[in-house]
Amino acid sequence: MAGHSKWANIQHRKGRQDEKRGAAFSKIAKEITVAAKMGGGDPGFNPRLRVAVDKAKGVNMPKDKIDTAIKKGTGELEGVDYVEVRYEGYGIGGAAIMVDCLTDNKTRTVAEVRHAFNKYGGNMGTDGCVAFQFKHCGQMLFAPGTDEAALMDAAIEAGAEDVATNDDGSIEVITAAADYVAVKDALEAAGFTPEFGEVTMKPEGENVFTGDDAVKMQKLLDALEGLDDVQEIYTTAVIEE
């Protein structure tokens, strides 16, 4: 058994994303554009694009918006030239935070990220200050009640690195980042569709927050997430309801 209220935390996160669907469309469109620019416009031959398109479909992003974002990346339509940049820092109680951005103006972005950290009780750090606390990998979460033995057999057969049952009964499948799409496809073909899945920076440990500290930490994460240039936030913080 492993993890701490993973199911509740993922559901909470998905709920917050749904509330901000308009902003989610904009951020996913950026990711699709960059992925298409780097690896081509065919999701079948571009794993990063495939993951981004799956994410877009997960929030019911219209197909025409997906196609437009791909064409901006391949050069068929004019688009903005985005640069990837990552910032690292600390939240309440020293919880690790990594902030991935896509921007056309790094000076603006670093100022906005630093301001959010400072305003809400965090501290922006130097490159590499918290990266060692995370693992780059593919992560899928299956609902409590999923047939654990069958899922484990299918996951191992598909090439997953690890399968763990969390305290809340949900089951987590971890893959190498490069194998995520292939393992996900194999599991879906075997009848196992994850409730949530992504290529992520998975925290190696957790900082659990309750009460006032949980409120403060959530405000910091919300402030960072609300920035236009921020694509993803990874943190060791677990916010208890």
Side-chain angles (χ1 to χ4, degrees), residues 12-206:
H12 176 69
R13 178 176 164 189
K14 287 175 69 177
R16 297 182 75 85
Q17 288 174 340
D18 287 345
E19 290 170 10
K20 304 171 183 174
R21 184 162 294 180
F25 283 0
S26 174
K27 293 186 178 189
I28 294 171
K30 273 190 190 179
E31 170 62 19
I32 290 171
T33 295
V34 170
K37 181 180 180 180
M38 293 178 65
D42 185 347
F45 295 95
N46 183 342
R48 179 171 174 177
L49 179 59
R50 164 70 186 281
V51 171
V53 169
D54 283 352
K55 186 180 290 187
K57 291 177 179 177
V59 295
N60 297 316
M61 187 170 172
K63 186 177 184 300
D64 64 318
K65 289 185 181 293
I66 295 173
D67 291 342
T68 296
I70 290 174
K71 288 176 180 177
K72 285 181 178 179
T74 58
E76 295 173 69
L77 293 175
E78 186 176 349
V80 178
D81 190 15
Y82 294 111
V83 175
E84 294 182 278
V85 61
R86 170 174 289 166
Y87 302 108
E88 302 178 39
Y90 304 92
I92 310 303
I97 301 175
M98 287 203 303
V99 185
D100 279 358
C101 304
L102 289 175
T103 179
D104 59 351
N105 185 332
K106 289 199 287 186
T107 302
R108 176 194 68 225
T109 303
V110 69
E112 290 178 346
V113 171
R114 180 177 287 112
H115 177 71
F117 269 109
N118 292 341
K119 183 176 181 180
Y120 292 97
N123 179 33
M124 191 162 159
T126 57
D127 289 351
C129 67
V130 300
F132 66 92
Q133 298 185 49
F134 298 84
K135 176 184 179 181
H136 188 217
C137 63
Q139 179 185 31
M140 286 170 268
L141 196 69
F142 296 83
T146 301
D147 186 329
E148 181 181 358
L151 175 58
M152 183 173 291
D153 288 345
I156 292 171
E157 178 70 22
E161 289 187 349
D162 191 24
V163 181
T165 301
N166 296 310
D167 297 341
D168 55 17
S170 61
I171 303 173
E172 200 170 359
V173 174
I174 302 299
T175 75
D179 296 339
Y180 170 77
V181 169
V183 174
K184 181 172 180 281
D185 284 349
L187 289 178
E188 289 181 344
F192 296 101
T193 301
E195 293 293 324
F196 173 84
E198 63 181 353
V199 175
T200 186
M201 296 296 289
K202 176 178 164 57
E204 300 279 20
E206 296 177 343

Side-chain angles (χ1 to χ4, degrees), residues 89-97 117 130 133 207 209 217 220 235-238:
Y90 304 92
I92 310 303
I97 301 175
F117 269 109
V130 300
Q133 298 185 49
N207 298 87
F209 288 90
M217 188 69 195
L220 170 56
T235 179
T236 58
V238 175

